[in-house]
Amino acid sequence: MFDVALQSEPVAAWTALLPAILLGLTGLVLLGIDTLYPDETSNTLLAATSAAGSLLAFGVAAWFLVAGTGQEHTGGAISLFGDTMVVDGMSLFFTLIFTVVTAMVAVAAYDYLADHEYRAEFYSLVLFAATGMTLMSMANSLATIFISLELASLPSYALVAFLKKNRGSVESGLKYFLIGSVSSGVMLFGISLVYATTGSLILGDVASAIGEGTEMVGVLGVGVLMIAGGVAYKTASVPFHFWAPEAYEGAPAPISAFLSSASKAAGFAVGFRIFVEAFPLGAIPAGIDWVLAFQVLAVVTMTLGNFAAATQENVKRMLAYSSIGHAGYALIGLAALTAGGPNGDVLGASMAHLLVYGFMNTGAFLFIAMAEHWGVGRTFEDYNGLASVAPIAAVAMTVFMFSLAGLPPFGGFLSKYALFYSAIEAGFWWLAAVGAINSALSLFYYSRVVKAMWIEEPAADFEIANRPVGLYAAVLFAGLGTLLLLPGFGPVIETAQSVAAALF
């Protein structure tokens, strides 16, 4: 009944944006608290408010998704603001990823920011970035896509450079800003070329104009290529990946987790919607083969990311390159699409993998934040014997490492299996083969962390002064989520494939 109301009453349709509204309002409340009590702002209050707002948005998005809001059996997607925004199953699914990662980062930041200034600004910037990511998944116009992308990017630049007295953090923030600005300009120019050839920015209207034929196929092709470059930058795909290791290494560890999980998922949400809805395979001119472009990107990204990760001695940098490799796996969602093929299964499997990745990758980076909090070094050797003094945290990190590698019985195994199987089902067995080989390679460097913690003897005595409550809670929550996604993967993949199929 609620969903019927959303479809039939114009005013009630606004409530479909409630997850994004809650995130934005939480960010404003945080600034309000800091304004009213500038000298007495409680870190506990700020962290609790951030986590509560994120979890409330998560709950609303989950409720909408389960209730069928914006899905076919309740009347279809909910269009707002002249079709520039759309709320459907895919946008709600991605909202779950953004909100749960934001909640984990907010809880972890409670300990990480204990001795830092400008805590309210930190939490509010995270919430505003999450708001932009949520709007990215709902954007149905090339204009709103670009605006929401900038809303997500601008706070991210500041968050990477948050440690103002740390030269590495400031340098990483500057590089991230400069590369991001250039990439945004390239994507914007691509959008202008698409508008010049189709006369519209609404994704559905762009597809209709392309289907009717255009004389400027070359201009359209350049525009599509530039937009693909913008998506590749946002997802840290090769050859637009070089900002990621620098930004992730220099940023505060909770922000590294946030960018490598939530921001990456936002880039894929935009990529999936643009290329499936604006440039459908059945209508795009023969000379514009964006599927081939993503096939090349997928293979090169997963291969380079894994080989680069295998050569690292810094654990945080290894995870940064590992996240590039996982972007290659997720790109299979676009690289294995065919006209008339099982496209819903392929795209849905990629979405499900991004959800599992959100838990295991965020947890891994938050474990690094915990190690930084204890003063443990950043190399593999520095992690030697860590399990002897922090066994529970080490168990969680072991779960993350083996799940990222795709070993059973962890959530990452099923998500990779579904992704590779869907690629084979679509006729792209070679994509699955490359992915499987790269997964086998990744076991080498992931197992190095496990070996260091559990087998190697520590080079010196560890001195762990305290047990950070927030970091422990966030890491254990991520580990529990990674494990629970194994028995609960059936409903996850079914939901993802169902909402993905609605796009075709």
Side-chain angles (χ1 to χ4, degrees), residues 3 72 74 96 98 121 123 127 130 154 260 288 290 301 307 338 342 355 360 375 380 397 438 454 460 469 481 498:
D3 298 298
E72 290 183 349
T74 58
L96 297 181
F98 308 142
E121 290 83 350
Y123 290 113
L127 268 295
L154 293 176
S260 63
I288 305 175
W290 57 260
T301 299
F307 272 95
T338 56
L355 176 62
M360 55 191 182
F380 288 96
M397 186 60 166
N438 276 283
W454 292 98
V469 177
S498 173

Side-chain angles (χ1 to χ4, degrees), residues 23 25-55 102-103 105-111 113-114 116-127 162:
L23 290 171
L25 286 178
T26 303
L28 293 175
V29 168
L30 290 167
L31 292 180
I33 293 173
D34 190 54
T35 301
L36 294 174
Y37 308 101
D39 300 323
E40 303 175 3
T41 304
S42 168
N43 187 32
T44 304
L45 177 61
L46 294 173
T49 302
S50 303
S54 304
L55 290 176
T102 302
V105 169
V107 172
Y110 168 75
D111 297 297
L113 296 177
H116 289 278
E117 297 180 300
Y118 310 111
R119 293 178 296 221
E121 290 83 350
F122 178 94
Y123 290 113
S124 60
L125 285 171
V126 170
L127 268 295
F162 182 77

Side-chain angles (χ1 to χ4, degrees), residues 33 112 114 121 129 140 173 235 283 298 317 383 418 433 444 458 480:
I33 293 173
Y112 197 89
E121 290 83 350
N140 192 48
T235 57
R317 198 171 181 87
Y383 280 53
F444 162 71
L480 187 62

